[in-house]
């Protein structure tokens, strides 16, 4: 959680942070509700596979974000001497 909060502070402007995060929270909650409502339709192996796919998608997104951050080292609000934590 601390690394996630650090990334939020660096990449999402403070004045828009709550609005942006709430826009992402709505589809996430909708997705969770749909899956939980229909959990009896999915076998355990499908649920495990779905979790694995989403974790791999998160890794791809993280690598992409890291590559973009390295391509543009100056991030608004971040001192130049402080590197991004891995």
């Amino acid at each position: 959680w601390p690394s996630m909060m650090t990334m939020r502070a660096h990449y999402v402007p403070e004045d828009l942070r709550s609005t942006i995060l709430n826009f992402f929270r709505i589809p996430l909650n909708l997705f969770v509700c749909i899956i939980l409502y229909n959990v009896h339709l999915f076998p355990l192996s499908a649920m495990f596979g779905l979790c694995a796919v989403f974790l791999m998608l998160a890794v791809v997104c993280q690598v992409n974000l890291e590559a973009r951050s390295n391509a543009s080292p100056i991030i608004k609000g971040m001192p130049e001497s402080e590197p991004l934590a891995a």
Side-chain angles (χ1 to χ4, degrees):
W1 292 109
S3 62
M4 193 167 76
M5 298 305 168
T6 302
M7 287 178 61
R8 279 185 190 169
H10 289 302
Y11 293 111
V12 182
E14 186 175 350
D15 55 335
L16 299 173
R17 191 171 300 152
S18 63
T19 303
I20 291 171
L21 294 177
N22 282 331
F23 278 129
F24 283 105
R25 203 169 285 147
I26 292 168
L28 176 64
N29 287 338
L30 182 63
F31 177 75
V32 168
C33 289
I34 290 170
I35 293 296
L36 288 177
Y37 183 73
N38 295 316
V39 74
H40 62 279
L41 299 175
F42 298 103
L44 188 58
S45 59
M47 286 293 195
F48 180 75
L50 195 60
C51 289
V53 167
F54 285 140
L55 283 173
M56 288 305 296
L57 180 63
V59 167
V60 168
C61 290
Q62 180 63 38
V63 168
N64 190 358
L65 181 63
E66 182 72 22
R68 288 176 185 226
S69 295
N70 289 338
S72 171
I74 299 176
I75 298 172
K76 183 179 176 183
M78 178 187 277
E80 289 185 38
S81 61
E82 182 182 337
L84 286 175

